[in-house]
Amino acid sequence: MDRKELKQLVLNALNNQIEAIQNQISSLSEDAQNDAKSSAGDKHETGLAMMHLEQEKLNTKLTEFLDMQQIALKLSENKTVEKVVLGSIVKTNKAVFYLSVPIQSVHYKNTQVFCVSVHAPLIQHLLNKEVGAEVTFNNISHKIVEIY
């Protein structure tokens, strides 16, 4: 598995999410401006308040994705250690994990790769382990087969 290619897949997914949220925010702003020109009264006030709340939620989400993007940009593209660390691609007997940012899984060369944070409970058990190590999480045994 190529760390550089996988990192690029993650960055592309993040960029798509960021763009989608920005489009939603723009759309809400336009709707609010159009609504302001054509409405008056209590219903108008309620509608604007609801749009404002939605914009706040989207702005919070956007900030989270921008933060994840900064983390992803800093991920090493070269294998430097033999232990599970941030930036590692870990193949276990159950799944493949990319220790990066918590987003949807990506498909890389016909393999589903789960993008997870180092703070994920299973990953906490795998951190600093080497190939051959076995951990049990939720009564499921995970044996590290490879680290990329």
Side-chain angles (χ1 to χ4, degrees):
M1 294 212 159
D2 187 315
R3 278 180 158 190
K4 188 174 185 174
E5 289 176 14
L6 198 52
K7 176 181 174 178
Q8 193 56 53
L9 282 176
V10 167
L11 287 171
N12 291 345
L14 285 168
N15 289 336
N16 290 340
Q17 292 280 6
I18 289 167
E19 189 175 313
I21 293 170
Q22 287 171 332
N23 289 339
Q24 288 175 326
I25 291 170
S26 295
S27 179
L28 274 176
S29 293
E30 286 176 27
D31 289 349
Q33 287 175 350
N34 291 338
D35 200 34
K37 294 176 187 173
S38 63
S39 299
D42 289 343
K43 284 184 182 178
H44 168 71
E45 304 269 333
T46 303
L48 280 178
M50 290 180 74
M51 279 189 227
H52 182 71
L53 285 173
E54 188 62 27
Q55 269 185 315
E56 285 181 11
K57 282 188 218 171
L58 288 170
N59 281 324
T60 299
K61 229 175 166 181
L62 179 61
T63 301
E64 288 174 13
F65 277 102
L66 289 170
D67 290 345
M68 284 193 277
Q69 183 183 46
Q70 290 306 308
I71 292 168
L73 285 167
K74 294 176 185 172
L75 293 172
S76 172
E77 296 173 357
N78 304 313
K79 183 179 177 183
T80 54
V81 293
E82 299 296 319
K83 293 183 178 188
V84 177
V85 295
L86 179 64
S88 295
I89 302 165
V90 182
K91 181 178 181 183
T92 71
N93 59 330
K94 302 290 184 200
V96 178
F97 302 97
Y98 181 36
L99 281 61
S100 54
V101 292
I103 62 170
Q104 75 275 9
S105 62
V106 295
H107 289 278
Y108 176 75
K109 296 185 179 178
N110 298 322
T111 302
Q112 183 177 21
V113 179
F114 295 96
C115 301
V116 294
S117 161
V118 293
H119 303 293
L122 169 61
I123 303 308
Q124 286 288 301
H125 287 83
L126 292 173
L127 277 177
N128 296 313
K129 300 283 192 282
E130 297 177 352
V131 172
E134 200 167 330
V135 299
T136 301
F137 181 74
N138 285 344
N139 295 322
I140 299 172
S141 179
H142 295 266
K143 183 174 182 177
I144 299 174
V145 178
E146 288 182 77
I147 302 171
Y148 303 97

